[in-house]
Every structure is written in structure tokens, then in C-alpha cells.
Amino acid sequence: MSTPVEGIETVGVVGAGQMGNGIAHVFAVAGYDVVISDLDQARIDAAMEVIEGNLARQVNRDLLSAEDSAAAMGRITGITDMGGFDKCDLVIEAAAEIEQLKKDIFKKLVEVVPEHAILASNTSSISITRLATVTDRPERFMGIHFMNPVPVMKLVELIRGIATDEPTYDTMRKVVASLGKDAASAEDFPAFIVNRVLVPMINEAVYTLYEGVGTVESIDKALKLGANHPMGPLELADFIGLDTCLAIMNVLHDGLADTKYRPCPLLVKYVEAGWLGRKTDRGFYDYRGDAPVPTR
Ligand code: NAD
């Protein structure tokens, strides 16, 4: 395994949800000290439990030794107060996909992080250039977009804002390599590369359901067997989170001003119901029983 990158020893992660806990996991395994925050201790405790479970799965599959897993766990500190980011060389924001929330987080971060620290966002779609404007260091600000589940997926999209400087970009490329992952560079346009292509496909699958062309089961089966996708689009939407899918469609719709990106009203309805997919146990499938059951 590569050693951590020079100058980057302690990494902060804001938000201990499904992406934040995965990001903390891979940095800790790679040998970085990690500080992860969320709004309350219960969410931190839940994230620690998830990380421990995911590390154990890697040990069971012989991908990691028990000693390395224990050492990784020991490198992660959970906090509920942003003040704990004061020793970080890099902080990655992975809170919900809401622009104002992210801006408020970055405004608070610049008050506590060291002057040299790089700030980054794991946003799926929001403009890196716009987020950077609320900080005191747009030249040391980047998009670093991990894929879900973070410990498994190889790709990381790296997005430069208009002001991002080359040393910052180089450092982040090295950081991605040190995690054993591969970077693809994307320009700072709505949803970058992966989600510009993927999420409109999911939205179209929801329209296909909405218009009665297929059922949840037949749509997922069609894409799995007909296009060789490992997961059907509705199953994938539940996995990503329907709130995140809707937020990305709204960013595409607003940012590119093209009606082809209009979010499907059925997707909106699921989000309004609080049926956000796996994280709330219900979305296009109901996960409360032993096996997922389609909800339509
Ligand atoms: P999530 O809802 O699972 O987690 C978000 C977490 O942020 C929650 O635990 C919430 O309590 C916490 N949070 C909210 N405000 C906070 C604050 N002020 N300080 C600290 N924590 C705060 O969401 P997620 O799926 O992990 O997504 C997080 C980000 O990653 C979003 O920007 C999303 O677009 C992006 N992303 C998601 C995926 C995916 O497949 N879900 C993939 C790539 C990127």
C-alpha cells in the first residue's frame, strides 16, 4: 500500500452518513488519522458501528488483516463540534446535498482549520466554484467525488473549481492514489461526469414506472438482464438515496436549463413521503422484511 501523501496526515470528514463513514474508513485504512463529525453523538456512534462492520467484512474476505483493521479503527475520532478539525491538513465535506447547508459548513470550517489546509466537497452535483466562494481559500478548494460504497468502488472524480491551483490538484491526485483508487478529472459543470449520465437514466426509469410502461420489478430486471447492469436503476436509486437523486436532478435542471432534466413527479412524491430508499428502509422497495418487496 502507498504511504500517505506528504503534508497530509490528519483528514477531517464532515457528515457521518453513508458516504462520510465510507470516506473515513478508506482514509483510516490507508494510514491517515481521521476526524469525523456529525450533528449528534448517536449519529457518530452509528457511523462507528457501520465502519467496524465494514472493516470486519474486509477481514473476513482476507482483504485486510485483523491487526490493520484494529489499527484503522483506532485512527478514527468522532466529534460533534467543528472545533475538532483544528489539526486537519485536509477536510472533506460529506453532508447532505443542500447547497446552503454546505456553504454554512465551509463558513464554519475556515474559522477552525489551519491556514494550509485543503478544503474539499464530496458533492454529487453542486458547483465547486460556487462553494469555494464562501471560503478564504478558493485556490485550495476541490471537488472529490467518491462513489458508493466507498470502500468498494475504485473511481474518484476530481473536480477543479475555476480558482483551484495546480499544487492542490496534484496533492489530491496523490491522495486518491494513496487510497488505492483511480481518479478521473471532470470539469466543474452540474453533476460532473458520472451523475450527469447516471442520474438522468435513473430519472427516466422512474418516468417509465410513472407512465406504467413497467413495474418496479420488470424495469430493474430489464436493465439488469438487457443492459448487463449489476443493479436495476430503481434498486440503484434506493441505494444512492432518493433525496440525493432528486437533488441532483434539480441541480441539472436549474444549472443546464434544459427540460430534459425535469425530475419525475413520482420521484418527488417518494421524497415528500420520506421514502428515501435503503437509508429509511423504504423507497422503490420496502426493506423492512427479510427480502426487499417492490412498493409499486
Ligand atoms: P446521508 O444523508 O447518508 O449523510 C449525510 C450526513 O450529514 C447525515 O448523517 C447528517 O446528519 C450529516 N450532517 C448534516 N448537517 C451536518 C453538519 N452541519 N455537520 C455535520 N454533519 C452534518 O447522505 P450521503 O448519501 O452520505 O451523502 C452525503 C454527500 O455525498 C452528499 O453531498 C451526496 O450528494 C454525496 N454523495 C452521495 C453518494 C450516494 O450514493 N449516496 C455518492 C457520492 C456522493
Side-chain angles (χ1 to χ4, degrees):
M1 188 192 304
S2 330
T3 50
V5 176
E6 201 188 325
I8 309 282
E9 280 169 22
T10 304
V11 176
V13 181
V14 184
Q18 50 180 351
M19 294 307 291
N21 75 53
I23 295 168
H25 173 138
V26 297
F27 273 95
V29 168
Y32 296 90
D33 288 326
V34 177
V35 180
I36 182 165
S37 80
D38 210 303
L39 298 172
D40 54 50
Q41 194 56 39
R43 289 176 219 233
I44 291 290
D45 293 344
M48 293 295 193
E49 215 170 285
V50 171
I51 297 171
E52 204 152 16
N54 289 341
L55 285 168
R57 198 170 312 148
Q58 289 184 312
V59 172
N60 290 338
R61 290 190 190 152
D62 283 333
L63 299 169
L64 195 68
S65 72
E67 298 75 53
D68 287 347
S69 161
M73 206 61 217
R75 279 193 280 270
I76 305 175
T77 308
I79 59 169
T80 52
D81 171 9
M82 291 260 205
F85 289 121
D86 61 343
K87 302 218 168 27
C88 289
D89 306 300
L90 162 67
V91 180
I92 300 172
E93 170 279 317
E97 191 72 348
I98 301 165
E99 183 163 339
Q100 196 51 51
L101 172 74
K102 290 185 187 296
K103 285 181 169 165
D104 290 344
I105 288 170
F106 283 116
K107 280 186 205 158
K108 283 191 208 139
L109 272 176
V110 292
E111 288 170 17
V112 294
V113 296
E115 177 112 27
H116 71 270
I118 293 176
L119 296 178
S121 175
N122 182 51
T123 176
S124 303
S125 60
I126 298 168
S127 164
I128 298 304
T129 301
R130 270 205 314 272
L131 292 177
T133 58
V134 302
T135 74
D136 57 355
R137 63 195 78 190
E139 66 287 355
R140 289 194 301 290
F141 193 99
M142 288 270 311
I144 180 168
H145 181 221
F146 288 87
M147 306 294 128
N148 187 14
V150 182
V152 176
M153 299 294 281
K154 272 264 167 212
L155 183 78
V156 177
E157 274 181 294
L158 281 180
I159 306 107
R160 268 182 277 227
I162 202 164
T164 309
D165 65 19
E166 276 311 298
T168 300
Y169 182 72
D170 280 352
T171 302
M172 294 306 280
R173 277 199 84 94
K174 288 182 193 148
V175 165
V176 170
S178 76
L179 303 175
K181 300 200 181 290
D182 241 335
S185 294
E187 291 300 320
D188 186 21
F189 290 102
F192 321 123
I193 298 171
V194 173
N195 286 326
R196 169 83 177 258
V197 178
L198 186 64
V199 181
M201 183 205 69
I202 287 172
N203 191 51
E204 200 58 34
V206 185
Y207 267 111
T208 313
L209 178 67
Y210 176 64
E211 291 168 8
V213 182
T215 61
V216 169
E217 259 171 341
S218 64
I219 292 165
D220 275 352
K221 184 179 189 180
L223 270 295
K224 272 197 284 195
L225 302 185
N228 230 1
H229 289 190
M231 264 189 191
L234 301 173
E235 198 186 350
L236 178 60
D238 277 357
F239 191 70
I240 293 171
L242 303 191
D243 53 339
T244 299
C245 291
L246 177 60
I248 295 169
M249 285 312 297
N250 281 327
V251 168
L252 282 166
H253 197 222
D254 295 346
L256 299 169
D258 189 327
T259 54
K260 76 177 175 182
Y261 297 114
R262 70 212 182 284
C264 178
L266 185 60
L267 178 62
V268 176
K269 193 181 293 240
Y270 269 81
V271 173
E272 283 171 350
W275 292 13
L276 307 182
R278 279 185 177 270
K279 62 184 170 188
T280 56
D281 270 347
R282 230 180 326 183
F284 292 111
Y285 293 86
D286 186 334
Y287 300 93
R288 291 171 300 172
D290 290 339
V293 178
T295 51
R296 285 180 89 82

